[in-house]
Amino acid sequence: MGDKFSPSTVGALAKRAAYICSNPKCRRMTIGPAKDDGNSIMAGVASHIRAGSEGGPRYDKNQSVSERKSIKNGIWLCGTCSYMIDKNNGNDYTVQELEDWKKLHEGMIKAALEGEKRIVFSMLIKYEEDLDYIRDVIDVLGYKGALFENYDIENPYYVLSSIESLRRDLFIIQRSVKGDSKLKVIIESMVKACRYYMNHTSVENDHIRMNTGLGAFRKMIGLNLKELINEYEFEIINDGLLSIIPSVVVMDKDD
Ligand SMILES: [Zn+2]
């Protein structure tokens, strides 16, 4: 039956991939609850990068048995992708390509382990009704001069109370959005940005400190707006808001 991976190698591959298929176009979850309490279903496969048996997909006669069985020669995939990479005797998926998948995937899981939310975000859903809430978010943001007015006309007290009311408004919208919606994560991030500004900037701060905090706040909201545009293909026409979204070019009136 060729050189199979040991159970401990299979387990390690699965855990290093967080039980998620390593094919970047798939990323299907391969483990989850069974119908009966106390059981789980596993639909992932520790797959060979170079075949475990002679003549198999991407077989490398120069590999030793221990190299063939080593974790370096394995990649965690869902059942479908595992089957797919070996079709046509593996000619459609090269060793290099599979090693790239594995490296990219493990890197992403490592980042997620350290707190990055990207992979969780990619599993969330976009709902039709989200578009109505996005309109509410844009409305609420559009009235906040603190997001885009010239720094020197900003009054610290006004800015703080403006951001406080923004946080409240966003929080109310966020509560209505479905729990597994991408929009919820984006609005939560905006609420967090408001809270961060409020906790780190006081009305007693000098102008420099306030403007630094305000700059960071605008940047965070801008990044969230960009995410909103990318995910929901939503168009924003408010020039003030457009001016804080990274790499959205706004024509300068003096040009
Ligand atoms: Zn897959």
Side-chain angles (χ1 to χ4, degrees), residues 125-170:
I125 300 163
K126 285 183 274 184
Y127 290 101
E128 195 73 31
E129 64 189 56
D130 285 352
L131 286 173
D132 291 327
Y133 295 121
I134 292 174
R135 270 178 216 110
D136 294 344
V137 169
I138 301 297
D139 272 353
V140 165
L141 293 173
Y143 287 113
K144 296 294 169 192
L147 276 171
F148 41 77
E149 298 289 6
N150 267 336
Y151 286 110
D152 38 337
I153 64 162
E154 296 289 8
N155 166 304
Y157 183 79
Y158 171 75
V159 169
L160 198 62
S161 72
S162 163
I163 291 178
E164 199 174 345
S165 83
L166 176 61
R167 186 196 62 82
R168 261 198 316 271
D169 291 345
L170 288 173

Side-chain angles (χ1 to χ4, degrees), residues 97-215:
E97 197 170 351
L98 298 178
E99 284 176 343
D100 288 348
W101 284 5
K102 183 181 180 182
K103 195 171 167 204
L104 176 77
H105 187 69
E106 290 190 349
M108 216 170 58
I109 297 302
K110 176 82 174 157
L113 177 67
E114 287 166 350
E116 217 228 40
K117 305 284 188 296
R118 184 91 357 227
I119 196 153
V120 179
F121 190 74
S122 69
M123 290 175 175
L124 296 174
I125 300 163
K126 285 183 274 184
Y127 290 101
E128 195 73 31
E129 64 189 56
D130 285 352
L131 286 173
D132 291 327
Y133 295 121
I134 292 174
R135 270 178 216 110
D136 294 344
V137 169
I138 301 297
D139 272 353
V140 165
L141 293 173
Y143 287 113
K144 296 294 169 192
L147 276 171
F148 41 77
E149 298 289 6
N150 267 336
Y151 286 110
D152 38 337
I153 64 162
E154 296 289 8
N155 166 304
Y157 183 79
Y158 171 75
V159 169
L160 198 62
S161 72
S162 163
I163 291 178
E164 199 174 345
S165 83
L166 176 61
R167 186 196 62 82
R168 261 198 316 271
D169 291 345
L170 288 173
F171 186 71
I172 291 166
I173 302 169
Q174 177 217 300
R175 270 199 312 206
S176 314
V177 177
K178 282 206 176 87
D180 57 351
S181 155
K182 280 179 194 284
L183 180 62
K184 190 138 190 146
V185 175
I186 296 174
I187 304 179
E188 267 169 10
S189 174
M190 290 179 174
V191 170
K192 230 181 265 174
C194 295
R195 209 178 298 133
Y196 188 88
Y197 181 86
M198 289 158 59
N199 290 342
H200 289 82
T201 320
S202 89
V203 285
E204 278 93 50
N205 283 152
D206 58 36
H207 241 260
I208 294 172
R209 173 111 190 241
M210 186 196 83
N211 288 346
T212 310
L214 197 52

Side-chain angles (χ1 to χ4, degrees), residues 20-30 76-82 84 101:
I20 294 167
C21 176
S22 303
N23 174 0
K25 289 201 182 111
C26 173
R27 286 183 188 149
R28 175 198 293 266
M29 182 57 80
T30 66
W76 189 257
L77 295 169
C78 73
T80 306
C81 291
S82 172
M84 179 183 74
W101 284 5

